[in-house]
Amino acid sequence: MDVSASESSVTAVEDGISACLPDGRYEIIDSRMATSALLDIVLSVLRGEGIPLDELHDVGKPGAGEYRIVLDGVPVRIRSREIAESAPGTLDAADPPAVLSQVLIAAAGPLSERADAVFARLVRAVNLRGQCYTDAEIDSIVRGMPLVDRYATDEPAFRDWALVFRDHYVENSVGFLLGMERAGIDPKWIFALSKGDRTLHRERVHAWFLHRGYRSDVLDNSVINGSADTAERAYALAVNEQVDQFIRQAHASGRKVLVIDDGGLLAQGYGADGVLDEHIDGALELTVSGLKRIAGAPGELTVPVLNMARSRLKTMLGYHEIADSCVRRLRAILPGEKFLGRHVLLLGFGTLGARVAHYLRSQGVRVAVVDTDMLALITAAEHGYETYTSTAEALRAHSPFLVIGNTGELALTHEELPLLPDGVYLAGFATKDFSVLSEGFEGLSSTEIPYVGVRYTLPTGTTATLLGDGRSLNLFEYEGIANRGYDAYRAGTLIAARLLCREADRLGPGLHLEPVDQVIDEAGLFAAYYEQYLAPGSRRPAAPAQDGTTSETR
């Protein structure tokens, strides 16, 4: 097929008539990438494949994003066009806003095996770059975390460390790692791992991490918790091999390895002698579930681990923001439901559960509490909640339209399932709470409700809808906590990381809590947080104008 035929076929594809390409291959890729970036991607792929650059032809106006290449004699047309303005792709609107575009890659005829491989690589490269955050979007994320920016000053100790960061793929993770870069961690020595939650922009975060020069992959919590299937376990083994290689390379280059995690790596023995071949040099533990995993991990800790999970910072500030995000996500995923005046059963009145209960009651919800810890139950009762020592007891007394799990343990058993009212919603803010359903059993059937959850039909014939994917609901197709809401905790994590990298030898092996609280106090983080967000008259600094003035002086 000649070039003119190829061009007419491309036009047909853009009109939605794919039948005009009976023999050729084409892909249409949604993108937020500027048209000017497309040429760089095409050139990079051609160089990587050893294809002469004179095979690339600009067939439109210069810079218009229309190109033709020839792969083993077959013309391939590449065209980018803006299609629409879009809703902001970040929590704060970017200026200038990103514009959605589509990139069409279309072959004029059948491709050879080699040409098809080049075509596929080109599609992958465009797709990956097209998902990246724009510069303006990254600026909006950095501006949304002013405390991280304040404390991300140069730290000489960081220059001798590599970082493995395992957490949710959300914007505040992007902002935190950029802060660690500014403080001295080389981006080539950052390995980011997703915990596997279906956060809203996880693919964009992954794409941007790779574009930044980090290594990025998934080490799913289901593998760490022992609930993964065979395929997931096999994938995790491959990821662990990458982590091992990263640690070996870091040590070979004279660097120590810092892990910031929720126990996923430490639970496998990376911080203990005699368990794995590769050994890290220090860690920060972010979550209570991670502490539990560490307690059950093989071997004794032989590295210092700073306990961010029980720090005053997370207890006093972090959990309020987490609870707020939980309730906001719950209301958003059930927009047609009435909450005011209705019964909700809350399983677990711990640090998070108590705050979730408070938020719900402030919105007119009638909350009953179940907890097996007597002191927690007393606290709930003295705050005016109806209280029960077992889920079965509570379900016999009430017919809640919603049951919330905050325990981090199995909160609903096979014996209690028949007591659930028909049509009840189940919202888990810890992965294990409703695993009796998500892991399945004989006689249980299910129907997926996209972007809402899974509706289960129990052997009794009643139904229960598990919201989300059985994991923390505030991370299901959602960004989780607002960037400014987690700004202080991320800043505190950076401060603690600085302490560990400076003084790992002095701290010594084991879990450390007091040094975390002490270094955060000494850094003045709480005062900075108050001044930034809460002090009377506190406001954001005015943005500088092009002429160097501010909005206050213009």
Side-chain angles (χ1 to χ4, degrees):
M1 186 180 293
D2 62 18
V3 173
S4 61
S6 173
E7 291 177 357
S8 65
S9 296
V10 169
T11 302
V13 170
E14 291 177 333
D15 291 338
I17 308 172
S18 59
C20 290
L21 277 173
D23 299 319
R25 177 180 175 184
Y26 73 91
E27 298 281 349
I28 299 175
I29 303 163
D30 291 331
S31 169
R32 290 176 181 264
M33 173 178 56
T35 299
S36 58
L38 181 59
L39 178 60
D40 292 336
I41 295 170
V42 176
L43 289 172
S44 176
V45 171
L46 294 183
R47 292 189 187 100
E49 296 291 337
I51 297 173
L53 297 187
D54 58 11
E55 295 284 5
L56 174 67
H57 306 279
D58 196 328
V59 297
K61 295 179 181 178
E66 296 186 53
Y67 309 101
R68 186 182 73 249
I69 58 176
V70 180
L71 300 178
D72 286 351
V74 177
V76 175
R77 181 76 175 270
I78 305 164
R79 180 178 179 183
S80 175
R81 63 169 184 169
E82 294 182 356
I83 55 173
E85 293 184 350
S86 64
T90 46
L91 293 173
D92 286 340
D95 184 17
V99 177
L100 281 180
S101 63
Q102 285 185 330
V103 178
L104 172 69
I105 307 176
L111 297 169
S112 67
E113 183 176 350
R114 175 179 177 273
D116 191 69
V118 176
F119 188 100
R121 182 177 174 190
L122 187 60
V123 169
R124 287 195 300 271
V126 171
N127 186 54
L128 191 68
R129 184 66 181 88
Q131 293 186 76
C132 282
Y133 292 106
T134 66
D135 289 344
E137 288 175 323
I138 289 296
D139 288 343
S140 78
I141 293 172
V142 172
R143 285 196 306 272
M145 303 181 73
L147 296 178
V148 169
D149 191 50
R150 174 172 178 161
Y151 286 98
T153 55
D154 183 57
E155 172 51 59
F158 280 159
R159 298 170 195 164
D160 299 323
W161 287 73
L163 172 62
V164 181
F165 173 81
R166 181 171 175 270
D167 207 336
H168 306 297
Y169 271 25
V170 292
E171 286 184 24
N172 65 66
S173 292
V174 173
F176 171 73
L177 288 181
L178 280 172
M180 292 294 285
E181 277 191 52
R182 293 194 299 276
I185 297 285
D186 189 327
K188 297 191 299 292
W189 289 106
I190 296 176
F191 196 147
L193 292 166
S194 166
K195 292 164 63 173
D197 293 282
R198 283 177 56 179
T199 49
L200 183 60
H201 292 136
R202 59 196 180 278
E203 296 298 336
R204 298 198 72 197
V205 174
H206 170 68
W208 192 85
F209 282 167
L210 292 177
H211 177 68
R212 189 71 180 173
Y214 307 168
R215 303 178 206 197
S216 176
D217 218 306
V218 179
L219 184 56
D220 200 293
N221 258 2
S222 64
V223 177
I224 309 303
N225 292 334
S227 60
D229 60 25
T230 302
E232 289 169 332
R233 287 194 296 271
Y235 189 88
L237 287 173
V239 173
N240 280 340
E241 285 294 327
Q242 295 180 51
V243 174
D244 290 346
Q245 183 183 31
F246 180 80
I247 295 171
R248 285 194 296 270
Q249 290 173 341
H251 286 160
S253 72
R255 293 175 182 270
K256 296 180 179 180
V257 178
L258 169 67
V259 165
I260 299 177
D261 192 18
D262 77 333
L265 295 172
L266 292 174
Q268 296 179 76
Y270 278 95
D273 278 337
V275 180
L276 298 171
D277 292 337
E278 305 308 325
H279 198 66
I280 64 169
D281 301 283
L284 272 66
E285 177 50 52
L286 300 178
T287 68
V288 173
S289 60
L291 294 176
K292 294 177 181 178
R293 294 190 193 103
I294 292 171
E300 295 292 327
L301 282 176
T302 57
V303 299
V305 179
L306 297 188
N307 185 351
M308 294 298 299
R310 295 292 191 192
S311 66
R312 288 194 298 131
L313 172 64
K314 186 164 188 180
T315 302
M316 301 302 294
L317 300 184
Y319 276 107
H320 280 296
E321 298 291 348
I322 296 170
D324 175 62
S325 76
C326 290
V327 174
R328 282 191 291 112
R329 183 60 183 133
L330 180 61
R331 296 298 300 261
I333 208 168
L334 295 173
E337 242 345 310
K338 174 179 171 61
F339 278 71
L340 189 67
R342 298 185 75 186
H343 283 287
V344 168
L345 181 59
L346 185 82
L347 310 180
F349 198 76
T351 309
L352 176 60
R355 287 159 175 76
V356 170
H358 170 76
Y359 276 95
L360 287 170
R361 187 162 66 175
S362 71
Q363 296 179 22
V365 177
R366 300 159 71 184
V367 180
V369 171
V370 174
D371 206 303
T372 56
D373 182 276
M374 195 50 63
L375 186 57
L377 210 61
I378 290 169
T379 302
E382 291 186 347
H383 279 80
Y385 297 99
E386 290 187 56
T387 54
Y388 300 92
T389 58
S390 73
T391 302
E393 180 187 8
L395 288 173
R396 290 188 182 101
H398 291 286
S399 183
F401 86 99
L402 171 67
V403 179
I404 296 174
N406 302 279
T407 68
E409 305 292 343
L410 187 64
L412 192 65
T413 66
H414 284 278
E415 292 73 22
E416 292 158 346
L417 287 177
L419 300 175
L420 290 172
D422 188 30
V424 69
Y425 294 109
L426 305 174
F429 296 123
T431 300
K432 201 170 181 180
D433 284 86
F434 300 119
S435 56
V436 66
L437 291 175
S438 57
E439 292 178 8
F441 56 86
E442 186 176 353
L444 182 72
S445 62
S446 63
T447 302
E448 184 174 354
I449 307 171
Y451 298 98
V452 175
V454 179
R455 178 167 296 145
Y456 292 94
T457 301
L458 307 178
T460 57
T462 59
T463 64
T465 300
L466 180 59
L467 301 176
D469 56 356
R471 299 171 182 252
S472 300
L473 182 61
N474 62 319
L475 294 163
F476 174 72
E477 299 296 339
Y478 196 57
E479 265 292 315
I481 304 168
N483 292 338
R484 291 178 183 83
Y486 227 42
D487 184 23
Y489 186 61
R490 290 304 197 194
T493 303
L494 193 155
I495 292 166
R498 179 186 295 139
L499 170 70
L500 191 148
C501 292
R502 283 177 182 170
E503 304 186 25
D505 293 338
R506 181 186 67 80
L507 289 167
L511 276 168
H512 301 277
L513 175 59
E514 185 178 349
V516 175
D517 289 336
Q518 182 178 343
V519 75
I520 287 172
D521 282 343
E522 290 172 352
L525 177 59
F526 293 122
Y529 173 79
Y530 180 76
E531 291 165 6
Q532 179 69 42
Y533 294 111
L534 307 174
S538 61
R539 57 185 174 183
R540 302 178 197 172
Q546 294 298 319
D547 59 3
T549 64
T550 69
S551 59
E552 293 179 339
T553 59
R554 288 198 299 274

